[in-house]
Structures are given as C-alpha cells and as structure tokens.
Amino acid sequence: MTLKDLQYIKQKLAYHGLKVTHQRLVIYQVLQETDTHPAAEGIYEKIKKRNPSISLGTVYKTLEVFVKKGLIKKINTSEGNMRYDARIDNHNHIYCTNTKEIIDFKDLELDMLVRAFLKRKKIGNFTLKEFRLHISGEKIDPGKHIEITG
Amino acid sequence: MTLKDLQYIKQKLAYHGLKVTHQRLVIYQVLQETDTHPAAEGIYEKIKKRNPSISLGTVYKTLEVFVKKGLIKKINTSEGNMRYDARIDNHNHIYCTNTKEIIDFKDLELDMLVRAFLKRKKIGNFTLKEFRLHISGEKIDPGKHIEITG
DNA sequence: TCTTTGTTGATAATTATTATTGTTTAAATT
DNA sequence: AATTTAAACAATAATAATTATCAACAAAGA
C-alpha cells in the first residue's frame, strides 16, 4: 500500500459522499488486499492486530455502507454466509465446498456468450441488473490452487 | 394431491432410507406444491394451519435431512437467506431484488452453452459439481409475472 | 465558537439456525 | 398381535451472524 494508493482510496470515499475516516480507510484497504472474499469477521480479525480499537460492529456497518454506495460487493456462499469483494466489475465465482474458498473467474468470452443468450431469450416484465455464473465443486488437492487454462 | 402422489412420496422417502412419517410427508408435500422457493419458516407457516403440532425445529431438521439425501435442494438469496427447492434437476434462477422472489429458469440451450464453455476452459485441481446462472434484477410490475420468451 | 450532522465503540437485541433432551412413533422382530 | 428398538419428534435451550441502540466524539458548516 503506497501513499498514492491511499490517496486514491480517500478520493474514492469522498467521491461517494463518505467522510474519510481511519476506520473506513483500513477496512477498504484490507478488503482490497485480500483476494479470498472474506466475511466481516475475517476482516475484523485482520484489522484487530494493528487497530485493536476498531469494533466488529463498525466493520459490519462500514461494509454495509460501502455496499450501498457501490464501492464493494456483497456475495454469499452456498452455505449462506455473507462475504465481501472489493472487485466490483462483473465476474464469476468458483466455490469450493470443501475449503469454502471463493475464487474469482473473469472471462469475457463467457460474458459475451451469456449476454447474447439473454438478449435472444427475452425476459419480460424484468430489468436485468446482473448475472453471475456460480460454479461449485471441490478442490482435488486442497493445498494447491485452482488453475484455469484453455 | 392425489392418493397416488402420496404413495409416490412415500416410496421416495423409503427409497432414500427414510422412515415414512406424517411430518415428512407434509413437509415434502408443501415444498413440492410451492414454486416460490420458500424458507424453512415459510414452510412452517403453511403447515401450521393444518398441523399445529409440528414444530419449527422439525421443519429445519427434516429439510436438512432431505437435502443430505438429495431429495431436495438448498439455495440462498443474495441477501443470504436459505431457501428450499423440490426441483432437483439443474436449473437457473432469476432473483427479483424487489419482491425477493426466485423464479426458475430452465434452458437446455444455456446448459449446453455453458457446459461446452467449461469443457474448453479447463479448471485444474477441481472437480465440478454443478453450475448455476444467477440472474438478478427487478420486476417492472411487481404484480405481474416474469415471462420468458424467444 | 456554536451548532448540526455523521461516525464510532460498546453493548443490547434480533434473527436464523442448530443442538439437546426426554418422549413418542414406525417398523422390525418375536 | 405384542414387544422391542432405533429413529424421529416437540419443546426448549443454545449458538452464530447480523443489526439496532445510544452515548461520546469528530468534522463541517453557520
């Protein structure tokens, strides 16, 4: 996290009409640095080490504010726990039912494929906001990463 | 619900190694008759009218048993609430963020499209269990149904 | 500076779900 | 048909995740 990045986050908060506070900076920062789609609790645990005064309630509240302002996204696992994601561009998720990991999976070809399909298949009385492909299964070797090729 | 249907449910339960009890019959029956993907609470409310003695805990436990045996499926809304579905064939869901409705959306073409895509795009160190397209947006007229054409 | 409004931490409350326990019941066995 | 037994039940307590409350504080505006 460079000074430049910090400036950028400050701008982002201000742009969305949010006061720039230490808590908000830290929470956003941690979420941005984490690619495991943490729960509120997980973010809180990370923060606590350096900022023991920040309360869990504030983490929940702040994340919710971010979601409402469109700064971050809220997703859920198939077990029903809420997780947060600093990536707001449309992308898909691979969920491992064993390790509970959520792995990002962005693919323009797939986006186009589905988008074209939905255009053909008209859904009446409905305005589409977004679509996401949820892929679920299990890692073969939990110690290793999932690799997307081809 | 005819006598034949009831017999069929009894067979289903027995086939999955479950004792046939009144509670289980009623719970499965209600879920099967409901196409709104109810929560445990919702199923309980429906049941209560005719069977005031069945407890909410039993509804939760029974649904969980059904899920484990593969008789029904558990899904969640983007708000994180668990819902149940008697349809166990793979199908997609359209979620209305306004009315909180989940509408089934089965399309073989889409299935093939995605399946072919995933075959090309190899996901290493991972065994795929299932995929589902989550479409979310809002009904234009909440009083009317969503209609899929084309 | 004074006032207003927004933010925070501490804590209480709520909601959804799961666990426990004594009792009852379905179905296997006699 | 009566007895046994393991599974299932209702009632209730417990837990986990999340949200609400509220007093104290900080920043922005008058």
Side-chain angles (χ1 to χ4, degrees):
Chain A
M1 171 66 52
T2 68
L3 238 150
K4 218 174 171 183
D5 293 332
L6 199 70
Q7 270 320 110
Y8 182 63
I9 298 176
K10 284 184 183 175
Q11 272 177 34
K12 240 183 187 169
L13 292 174
Y15 175 77
H16 285 90
L18 296 172
K19 268 188 193 166
V20 176
T21 68
H22 178 238
Q23 290 79 341
R24 285 175 176 170
L25 286 172
V26 172
I27 291 168
Y28 187 84
Q29 212 174 299
V30 164
L31 185 59
Q32 200 176 38
E33 283 168 357
T34 312
D35 60 359
T36 55
H37 309 75
E41 183 74 40
I43 294 168
Y44 174 64
E45 289 305 323
K46 279 208 177 180
I47 284 171
K48 229 174 28 180
K49 293 170 202 160
R50 290 180 168 278
N51 306 74
S53 79
I54 296 178
S55 86
L56 179 58
T58 299
V59 174
Y60 270 105
K61 233 179 306 180
T62 303
L63 288 168
E64 216 42 52
V65 168
F66 286 173
V67 170
K68 280 216 181 89
K69 295 288 181 177
L71 258 157
I72 66 172
K73 282 197 175 180
K74 196 180 185 178
I75 54 181
N76 59 41
T77 69
S78 49
E79 269 92 0
N81 300 319
M82 305 313 299
R83 307 279 203 87
Y84 296 89
D85 194 344
R87 282 187 64 177
I88 51 167
D89 65 317
N90 278 344
H91 60 278
N92 308 292
H93 288 138
I94 300 174
Y95 181 64
C96 175
T97 50
N98 183 220
T99 65
K100 317 293 183 209
E101 276 170 290
I102 296 171
I103 294 104
D104 282 333
F105 171 42
K106 170 115 185 164
D107 191 287
L108 287 177
E109 192 197 335
L110 178 66
D111 281 2
M112 306 245 289
L113 221 66
V114 176
R115 212 178 290 278
F117 171 83
L118 288 176
K119 208 166 190 174
R120 236 175 313 136
K121 219 86 184 173
K122 285 270 179 221
I123 304 176
N125 189 34
F126 185 78
T127 40
L128 182 128
K129 273 219 201 83
E130 64 170 28
F131 61 84
R132 195 179 299 152
L133 187 69
H134 284 231
I135 300 168
S136 73
E138 265 187 32
K139 272 186 168 185
I140 296 163
D141 180 346
K144 287 182 183 163
H145 285 292
I146 285 175
E147 301 231 3
I148 298 147
T149 53
Chain B
M1 170 68 51
T2 68
L3 237 150
K4 218 175 169 183
D5 292 331
L6 200 69
Q7 271 317 113
Y8 182 63
I9 298 177
K10 284 184 182 176
Q11 272 178 33
K12 237 182 189 173
L13 292 175
Y15 176 78
H16 284 90
L18 297 172
K19 267 187 192 167
V20 176
T21 67
H22 178 238
Q23 290 79 342
R24 283 175 177 169
L25 287 172
V26 172
I27 291 168
Y28 187 83
Q29 213 175 298
V30 165
L31 184 59
Q32 200 176 38
E33 282 168 358
T34 314
D35 61 358
T36 55
H37 308 77
E41 183 74 40
I43 294 169
Y44 175 63
E45 289 305 322
K46 279 210 177 178
I47 285 171
K48 231 178 21 184
K49 292 170 202 159
R50 290 179 168 278
N51 307 75
S53 77
I54 296 180
S55 85
L56 178 58
T58 298
V59 174
Y60 270 106
K61 230 179 308 176
T62 303
L63 289 167
E64 215 44 50
V65 167
F66 286 174
V67 170
K68 281 215 180 90
K69 295 286 181 180
L71 259 158
I72 65 171
K73 281 197 176 181
K74 196 180 187 180
I75 54 179
N76 59 39
T77 68
S78 50
E79 269 92 359
N81 301 319
M82 306 313 298
R83 307 279 202 86
Y84 296 88
D85 193 345
R87 282 188 64 175
I88 52 167
D89 64 316
N90 278 343
H91 60 277
N92 307 293
H93 287 138
I94 300 174
Y95 182 64
C96 174
T97 50
N98 184 219
T99 65
K100 317 293 184 211
E101 275 170 290
I102 296 172
I103 295 104
D104 282 333
F105 170 42
K106 169 114 186 163
D107 192 286
L108 287 176
E109 192 197 335
L110 179 65
D111 282 2
M112 306 245 289
L113 222 66
V114 176
R115 210 177 290 278
F117 172 83
L118 288 176
K119 208 167 190 175
R120 235 175 314 136
K121 220 84 185 174
K122 284 272 178 219
I123 303 176
N125 189 35
F126 185 79
T127 40
L128 183 130
K129 272 217 202 84
E130 64 171 29
F131 61 84
R132 196 178 301 150
L133 188 68
H134 285 231
I135 299 169
S136 73
E138 266 186 31
K139 271 186 168 188
I140 295 162
D141 180 345
K144 287 184 183 161
H145 285 293
I146 285 174
E147 300 232 5
I148 297 147
T149 53

